[in-house]
Amino acid sequence: MPAARSSSPLNRRYLQVGCSIVWCLLAAGPIFGFAALKPVLIEQGVYYEKCNVDVSLSSLVTHGSSSCTEQDLALNFMFTLAAVVTNVTALLVGAVLDRYGPRVSGIIGSALLAMASALFINGKSFTASENAFISLVDPYLCGYTVLALGGPFCFISSFHLANAFPQNLGLVLALLTGAFDSSSALFLGYRLVYTHFIEADTHLEISLSDFFKFYLIVPLFIFGCQLFVMPHESYKLESVKKTAGETTSLLVSLSDVEEQAKPDPSRRASIAVSMVSSSRPGRYERRFSTISQLNDNAHQAEIDYEAETSPRRGGVYGILHGSSIKEQLSSLWFVIMTLFTTIQMLRINYFVATLKTQEDFLFEEETALKLNHFFDLALPLGGLISIPFIGLILDNLATGPVMLIITVVSVVIGVFGLLNQSVVYPILGMLLLVVYRPFYYTVVSDFVAKVFGHENFGTVYGTIICISGCMNLVQPLLDRLTHEKFGMNPTPVNVGLVSLTGILGTWLLLFIKQQENGVKRRHLELEAENALEFDIPS
């Protein structure tokens, strides 16, 4: 797939980024606003048929909740499956994006969002249908899942727009991820409007069907943007690495390195290669060493130059750039990052799905309700507030310090969640979580770009998110364990998740440190090997 030039008109690039932020706000991840939507689903009787009318009070969730255990588990599973699909779809989206480009990905996303809307609009018709086949379809589970399926097609296909502004790549990524995180406000807005009409006793009710009729505007907007505003090919950063043919030609033609060593940084990689072979007196024959070795040296020179000129590319930047996809997916880098991403994703999604029941168990009903509403509001705002901080951190810190911040903050959030002696601790934990969540997801994409490179970015990033998403199928087991084994007490499960975070985070940090030391050692060896030799004057 050819690359779109970052030299496109500035106003058009601004418009493209602006449009992508708008649709990410509305479509990238609205399913994560489940905590705000769940009371509306209960109020409208979704899955109420799972409750036994003669159910005893002991089977109710707690504190006068209007849902029984089976209804609560069914609603939580709806979110869990959607969260898994969102992450698993990343692999499919990555493959489609790498092969067909962002426009096709965006159009597919808009079609899926329209399909999800249609399922919700006709939800009651499906459940009331006398047709045996239609009645087997769960419109709410299918609709929420298809909604989750469309989000990544719209969101991940926007990543390449960061390359349209190379000097502010981290900021653009932060804007897109912040919009993704803030998209949870969609259902919060719906719940506020729904509650307003109910409390005002206006005899008006904006049902799920009515809401998704309005929501059809969003896929139409995305479809129009893809046709008339967005580029057909991805924006890609221009590489300074020369091809094998260019390198060979340069080696044959250069006889005087000093004349050719101009200050133009775009040629530094190739010139560095020529210096290795042509600047040593009496070793002219080494100019015609194997092409693979020349390309390796050129690639290393490119990485060295980028690491020296950009703080965000220091440390282990480029360590797997140029490696085959098989080598990248079988590396310990991939294994550790996938495990760490899995546990973080599981913790976040488990908290979002079970927030109401957790707070109901730990606090009085009125306090729990206030905490639930506080989180509903803080979640989308956290994505917006964190944008400038995410951009600054990613644009100015290397991989090691960034992952240290991620690990420490994640453990602190878990510790705050375990302290329920005062309402202050869960509030602090929520505040950190809503800022941490967009930061973490941005760090994953930034980590993949730094360590694995852009050539296989879609496949590597998609595989990490896909595997992590599949592992989130453990969440319903944790949920049922909390309900039935621990008597609604979420503490045992939370302790286990925080412990795994500390273990995997420490492993990742130690591995990064080890690899950084290895990179420094190889650089010193390369400098010693390629040092210029001079004859001692007589």
Side-chain angles (χ1 to χ4, degrees):
M1 178 64 65
R5 295 290 182 182
S6 59
S7 57
S8 299
L10 184 62
N11 290 339
R12 187 170 186 81
R13 281 181 281 154
Y14 278 134
L15 178 61
Q16 290 167 349
V17 172
C19 288
S20 65
I21 290 174
V22 170
W23 78 55
C24 283
L25 277 169
L26 298 172
I31 64 159
F32 293 102
F34 178 77
L37 181 65
K38 187 175 180 179
V40 179
L41 296 176
I42 295 174
E43 181 72 23
Q44 296 198 12
V46 176
Y47 296 134
Y48 180 73
E49 67 277 3
K50 295 183 179 293
C51 293
N52 185 348
V53 178
D54 299 325
V55 68
S56 62
L57 293 177
S58 60
S59 67
L60 292 177
V61 175
T62 185
H63 292 309
S65 170
S66 59
S67 65
C68 66
T69 295
E70 293 304 320
Q71 182 186 19
D72 189 64
L73 291 174
L75 290 171
N76 289 349
F77 179 73
M78 187 175 82
F79 168 75
T80 300
L81 182 62
V84 169
V85 167
T86 293
N87 297 306
V88 170
T89 305
L91 180 60
L92 174 62
V93 176
V96 172
L97 183 62
D98 289 344
R99 183 165 185 177
Y100 299 105
R103 176 172 292 176
V104 172
S105 299
I107 291 175
I108 292 174
S110 65
L112 290 171
L113 294 177
M115 186 185 304
S117 300
L119 286 168
F120 276 104
I121 290 171
N122 297 284
K124 291 186 177 180
S125 300
F126 274 87
T127 54
S129 176
E130 296 181 358
N131 185 292
F133 177 75
I134 294 178
S135 62
L136 290 175
V137 177
D138 186 336
Y140 303 109
L141 182 64
C142 292
Y144 213 67
T145 303
V146 175
L147 187 66
L149 188 64
F153 275 98
C154 300
F155 175 53
I156 298 178
S157 63
S158 304
F159 279 176
H160 74 101
L161 294 174
N163 293 330
F165 299 92
Q167 300 303 318
N168 301 107
L169 187 145
L171 177 60
V172 176
L173 279 177
L175 286 168
L176 292 172
T177 308
F180 162 78
D181 202 63
S182 300
S183 61
S184 60
L186 180 73
F187 289 140
L188 171 61
Y190 168 50
R191 193 200 70 192
L192 292 175
V193 174
Y194 178 87
T195 304
H196 170 74
F197 282 114
I198 294 295
E199 293 178 348
D201 195 23
T202 57
H203 303 289
L204 293 175
E205 178 181 294
I206 302 181
S207 64
L208 281 173
S209 177
D210 296 329
F211 171 77
F212 278 97
K213 287 177 183 178
F214 288 110
Y215 187 74
L216 281 172
I217 297 173
V218 176
L220 289 175
F221 170 75
I222 297 173
F223 182 75
C225 287
Q226 294 296 341
L227 291 183
F228 304 110
V229 178
M230 308 307 291
H232 181 64
E233 297 89 9
S234 298
Y235 285 112
K236 293 182 180 178
L237 292 175
E238 296 180 1
S239 174
V240 299
K241 183 169 65 177
K242 300 293 184 180
T243 63
E246 291 172 321
T247 304
T248 305
S249 175
L250 186 61
L251 288 172
V252 173
S253 63
L254 292 181
S255 59
D256 189 345
V257 177
E258 291 183 356
E259 292 181 3
Q260 297 294 335
K262 304 296 182 183
D264 182 3
S266 65
R267 303 179 59 191
R268 176 168 178 164
S270 296
I271 292 174
V273 177
S274 68
M275 290 174 66
V276 173
S277 57
S278 66
S279 60
R280 299 183 179 183
R283 300 187 184 184
Y284 178 83
E285 64 277 5
R286 292 189 62 182
R287 295 185 185 184
F288 299 97
S289 58
T290 61
I291 296 301
S292 61
Q293 181 62 43
L294 297 177
N295 279 335
D296 288 344
N297 289 338
H299 178 60
Q300 186 59 53
E302 173 194 359
I303 293 173
D304 290 344
Y305 171 69
E306 291 180 335
E308 292 171 6
T309 56
S310 177
R312 73 185 298 272
R313 296 180 177 181
V316 294
Y317 174 85
I319 197 167
L320 290 179
H321 288 201
S323 300
S324 67
I325 186 64
K326 182 179 179 180
E327 293 172 333
Q328 291 179 340
L329 295 181
S330 60
S331 68
L332 202 53
W333 281 104
F334 177 82
V335 173
I336 300 177
M337 191 59 187
T338 301
L339 290 174
F340 190 69
T341 302
T342 296
I343 197 65
Q344 299 311 300
M345 194 179 295
L346 182 59
R347 282 184 59 196
I348 293 172
N349 292 339
Y350 176 75
F351 182 80
V352 172
T354 63
L355 172 65
K356 186 176 184 299
T357 51
Q358 284 198 44
E359 303 306 336
D360 281 342
F361 178 85
L362 298 173
F363 300 99
E364 295 295 329
E365 181 179 2
E366 184 178 352
T367 303
L369 185 61
K370 289 180 179 179
L371 287 173
N372 197 19
H373 289 171
F374 173 79
F375 182 77
D376 293 340
L377 183 62
L379 184 61
L381 290 179
L384 298 176
I385 294 172
S386 63
I387 288 173
F389 301 103
I390 294 174
L392 286 173
I393 292 173
L394 295 184
D395 284 338
N396 293 280
L397 294 181
T399 306
V402 170
M403 298 313 299
L404 176 61
I405 294 173
I406 282 291
T407 302
V408 171
V409 173
S410 182
V411 172
V412 170
I413 292 172
V415 171
F416 279 147
L418 297 175
L419 301 175
N420 52 31
Q421 292 83 0
S422 170
V423 73
V424 174
Y425 295 115
I427 290 177
L428 290 175
M430 290 178 187
L431 289 174
L432 280 176
L433 178 64
V434 298
V435 175
Y436 170 83
R437 183 171 173 267
F439 180 40
Y440 179 75
Y441 281 109
T442 309
V443 165
V444 174
S445 60
D446 185 72
F447 178 93
V448 172
K450 285 179 179 178
V451 174
F452 298 93
H454 289 280
E455 185 176 355
N456 299 317
F457 174 84
T459 302
V460 176
Y461 176 82
T463 304
I464 290 176
I465 300 301
C466 175
I467 294 174
S468 302
C470 288
M471 293 303 295
N472 270 253
L473 288 172
V474 174
Q475 184 182 315
L477 301 179
L478 298 179
D479 198 10
R480 185 168 287 277
L481 196 64
T482 302
H483 276 77
E484 299 177 355
K485 181 70 175 178
F486 302 122
M488 299 304 300
N489 184 0
T491 301
V493 171
N494 288 332
V495 168
L497 294 176
V498 174
S499 300
L500 286 174
T501 296
I503 294 171
L504 293 174
T506 301
W507 185 19
L508 178 60
L509 292 173
L510 291 175
F511 181 73
I512 291 174
K513 186 64 177 178
Q514 177 191 27
Q515 294 298 308
E516 284 179 341
N517 293 335
V519 169
K520 292 177 182 177
R521 184 170 58 252
R522 285 193 294 272
H523 284 177
L524 290 174
E525 292 172 353
L526 186 62
E527 288 178 5
E529 178 184 348
N530 298 333
L532 300 181
E533 297 179 2
F534 299 96
D535 292 332
I536 299 176
S538 58

